[in-house]
Amino acid sequence: MQPPVQKNQLITAEITDLTHEGAGVAKIEGYTLFVPDSLPGEKAKIRVVHTKKDYGYGKVEERLEKSPDRVDPLCDIYGRCGGCQLQHLSYTGQLKYKQKQVIDALERIGGLSDVKVLPTLGLEYPWIYRNKAQVPVAARNGELIAGFYQKRSHQIIDMDHCLITDETVDEIIQEVKKIAKETGIPPYDETNHRGVLRHIVVRIGRETGEVMVVLVTKTNDLPHRKTFIRGLTEKYPQIKAIAHNINSKRTNVIFGETTKTIWGRDVIYDRIGSVKFAISARSFYQVNPQQTRVLYEKALEYAELTGQETVIDAYCGIGTISLFLAQKAGKVYGVEIVPEAIEDAKANAELNGLDNAFFEAGKAEDVIPAWHEKGIKADVIVVDPPRKGCDEALLKTIIAMKPKRVVYVSCNPSTLARDLRILEDGGFQTIEVQPVDMFPQTTHVECVAQIVLN
Ligand code: SAH
């Protein structure tokens, strides 16, 4: 069958939906046309730029009717930078969009049409929320640049300011760039795998104000090390740790295996609620601390702890959720794949005087079945997997372990829906899903679900 529109054709159409990547959707005789920078309810003259059998792409030539939810993006580089996708949508519109993303995924992928999905919990001020920036370094016309990747590309946009990043983090990134330029340290060139400085990573503990800087190089040594240390620590007393990470591989992954502390501590500290955390360079730590607290409190509510329960926290990172729950549970077991994060988790349990939390490094899908075999029983299992969701072996073990409740923290509604289907087929029921906006201005959707044993 031929698509009803051809390349270069100019059509007038209405936008009826928004994809999980933030593009508008127009339906032309049932054929799907993706139209970037357009919003549901808008009408536009659209130039068809590309067609495939089942779907195509179009570009707005003239907007005929504007959505009441359309706002002017605040950032100068919005549209070119790949970091944000929804600055042209009002924040209220973004929150509704995220709730709908969850509802649609549950229905379409999980076949779950009667689950209660609550309105998204948002921030009062949806800017400068990120506690971390990790910016790639490159050369342009012989000059060092650092910033964000452009949409769908590996071209870097030189950036001197990011509106969703903590201001101190932003400023320190600029300072590292300035020192790097002054020293003449060669920027990494991914096309020929030459050069030295690959990434600048800066993270702040928003409650403590402590900052860690990590310089990632291709080479084993960091040239001008002392200049970096002196320049940064003299100007920014809040820097408590500077690390050097070596990543000599041809890869998109930011960190390599070796991290050396070159100044100060190995960790910075932060607090979520009353729990204090040590965070090392390579450990995962949620990027939006204010909303992390909201998310964890919801997870705690869904766990319905009375103080006696045994809880398993799968994909525990540095033990954030585990320790949050350990305050209200009998015992908590955490498992996580990154060994440094598990070291942090153990230190964090001690730091908070919580002696009822136990941690093991390994894959959740290997370690939890082993615990099950050893006879460990769980009343509540919390999972917080990366975007690809839970491994099927883990879901099978959860079904076999029959905990009273499962709390699923998810950063990807599609894999959440897929996994909920498996749990439902294994005898569980999804009670409620709460989206929490961890990533304003972007299309990323985070949510937490309560699932109970039937
Ligand atoms: N619950 C933590 C971390 C969530 S992010 C928090 O809220 O801070 C997901 C974590 O899963 C990361 O720390 C990642 O390193 C870890 N991970 C990824 N694959 C894993 C696997 N197969 N088994 C266990 N942990 C894994």
Side-chain angles (χ1 to χ4, degrees):
M1 218 184 66
Q2 281 284 334
V5 291
Q6 270 84 52
K7 189 174 166 179
N8 289 331
Q9 194 180 338
L10 190 65
I11 54 162
T12 299
E14 196 170 319
I15 304 300
T16 51
D17 207 353
L18 206 51
T19 67
H20 72 278
E21 289 177 325
V25 179
K27 288 277 186 191
I28 293 109
E29 296 166 35
Y31 180 81
T32 304
L33 201 64
F34 297 114
V35 188
D37 192 21
S38 64
L39 294 172
E42 293 190 333
K43 210 169 160 185
K45 283 192 179 154
I46 299 163
R47 180 75 64 187
V48 178
V49 290
H50 187 66
T51 57
K52 289 192 170 191
K53 200 165 134 277
D54 300 321
Y55 60 90
Y57 291 91
K59 196 171 161 240
V60 174
E61 289 226 329
E62 189 189 344
R63 199 169 289 130
L64 303 171
E65 274 168 41
K66 197 168 118 177
S67 160
D69 282 332
R70 179 173 286 276
V71 293
D72 287 332
L74 285 189
C75 180
D76 292 342
I77 56 172
Y78 179 66
R80 286 190 293 139
C81 171
C84 294
Q85 304 80 32
L86 292 181
Q87 283 196 21
H88 61 294
L89 177 60
S90 72
Y91 191 50
T92 317
Q94 293 180 25
L95 297 177
K96 283 200 196 125
Y97 158 82
K98 293 188 183 188
Q99 181 188 22
K100 183 167 182 295
Q101 288 294 310
V102 178
I103 294 171
D104 288 353
L106 291 183
E107 251 178 53
R108 196 167 36 85
I109 301 164
L112 297 161
S113 47
D114 48 7
V115 171
K116 185 155 118 201
V117 178
L118 298 172
T120 313
L121 297 171
L123 275 173
E124 220 162 276
Y125 185 68
W127 303 96
I128 56 169
Y129 59 85
R130 283 187 64 97
N131 61 12
K132 180 170 94 165
Q134 29 195 34
V135 301
V137 176
R140 187 184 296 146
N141 306 328
E143 277 251 332
L144 181 141
I145 60 163
F148 276 125
Y149 289 116
Q150 282 182 37
K151 276 186 183 153
R152 290 178 227 285
S153 114
H154 255 240
Q155 291 291 329
I156 290 167
I157 299 193
D158 199 27
M159 174 204 71
D160 48 31
H161 193 45
C162 169
L163 297 178
I164 60 169
T165 299
D166 176 276
E167 286 162 322
T168 305
V169 169
D170 229 21
E171 214 183 298
I172 294 176
I173 294 268
Q174 296 313 314
E175 190 64 27
V176 177
K177 256 167 94 171
K178 187 170 145 251
I179 299 171
K181 281 185 191 171
E182 283 165 7
T183 60
I185 188 171
Y188 177 67
D189 181 345
E190 69 175 6
T191 55
N192 59 19
H193 197 46
R194 293 224 181 103
V196 178
L197 188 60
R198 295 180 74 139
H199 266 91
I200 306 165
V201 181
V202 178
R203 174 143 71 185
I204 190 168
R206 285 283 279 259
E207 288 290 319
T208 59
E210 294 188 0
V211 173
M212 175 182 280
V213 177
V214 190
L215 301 170
V216 183
T217 65
K218 188 212 155 192
T219 45
N220 279 333
D221 54 59
L222 169 66
H224 312 289
R225 193 178 114 171
K226 285 197 177 132
T227 315
F228 278 107
I229 294 173
R230 203 180 317 116
L232 288 171
T233 54
E234 276 174 5
K235 194 157 174 192
Y236 294 100
Q238 60 270 62
I239 295 179
K240 302 295 175 200
I242 304 180
H244 169 211
N245 176 277
I246 300 157
N247 185 357
S248 48
K249 290 193 187 143
R250 264 184 193 269
T251 168
N252 290 339
V253 175
I254 296 176
F255 289 119
E257 292 303 317
T258 313
T259 309
K260 301 176 199 167
T261 299
I262 57 170
W263 187 86
R265 299 195 216 114
D266 298 340
V267 295
I268 53 167
Y269 293 98
D270 197 23
R271 271 189 309 270
I272 302 171
S274 57
V275 191
K276 195 174 175 191
F277 295 103
I279 311 153
S280 56
R282 278 184 62 206
S283 293
F284 176 89
Y285 186 63
Q286 296 283 1
V287 297
N288 183 335
Q290 199 179 333
Q291 290 296 78
T292 299
R293 186 169 176 182
V294 173
L295 182 77
Y296 290 177
E297 260 155 19
K298 202 70 201 176
L300 182 63
E301 182 191 317
Y302 283 167
E304 294 181 28
L305 301 177
T306 63
Q308 309 301 316
E309 291 81 0
T310 298
V311 180
I312 288 179
D313 180 17
Y315 311 89
C316 71
I318 60 171
T320 37
I321 298 181
S322 326
L323 298 179
F324 216 72
L325 301 188
Q327 303 175 98
K328 303 274 164 68
K331 246 187 212 165
V332 178
Y333 293 89
V335 53
E336 155 66 42
I337 203 166
V338 175
E340 287 100 318
I342 285 294
E343 289 311 307
D344 287 351
K346 288 179 181 166
N348 287 331
E350 206 163 309
L351 190 67
N352 290 283
L354 290 162
D355 56 8
N356 58 343
F358 308 92
F359 295 99
E360 192 170 324
K363 290 184 181 169
E365 59 271 27
D366 296 339
V367 172
I368 296 174
W371 286 346
H372 180 44
E373 283 208 350
K374 267 204 272 176
I376 293 177
K377 292 188 171 60
D379 302 292
V380 179
I381 299 184
V382 180
V383 298
D384 182 7
R387 290 187 59 76
K388 68 172 192 242
C390 293
D391 191 279
E392 205 166 341
L394 172 64
L395 294 169
K396 281 195 181 135
T397 305
I398 293 176
I399 291 166
M401 285 176 97
K402 295 191 186 311
K404 289 194 213 68
R405 279 176 292 283
V406 176
V407 178
Y408 195 133
V409 181
S410 160
C411 57
N412 183 349
S414 306
T415 53
L416 170 72
R418 179 201 67 197
D419 293 350
L420 288 181
R421 180 74 266 155
I422 297 172
L423 291 175
E424 294 252 343
D425 293 343
F428 287 84
Q429 191 191 349
T430 311
I431 300 297
E432 187 179 285
V433 184
Q434 173 67 69
V436 178
D437 192 21
M438 301 286 268
F439 313 101
Q441 319 308 334
T442 79
T443 47
H444 292 288
V445 183
E446 183 92 16
C447 55
V448 50
Q450 190 192 44
I451 301 109
V452 300
L453 187 63
N454 271 328

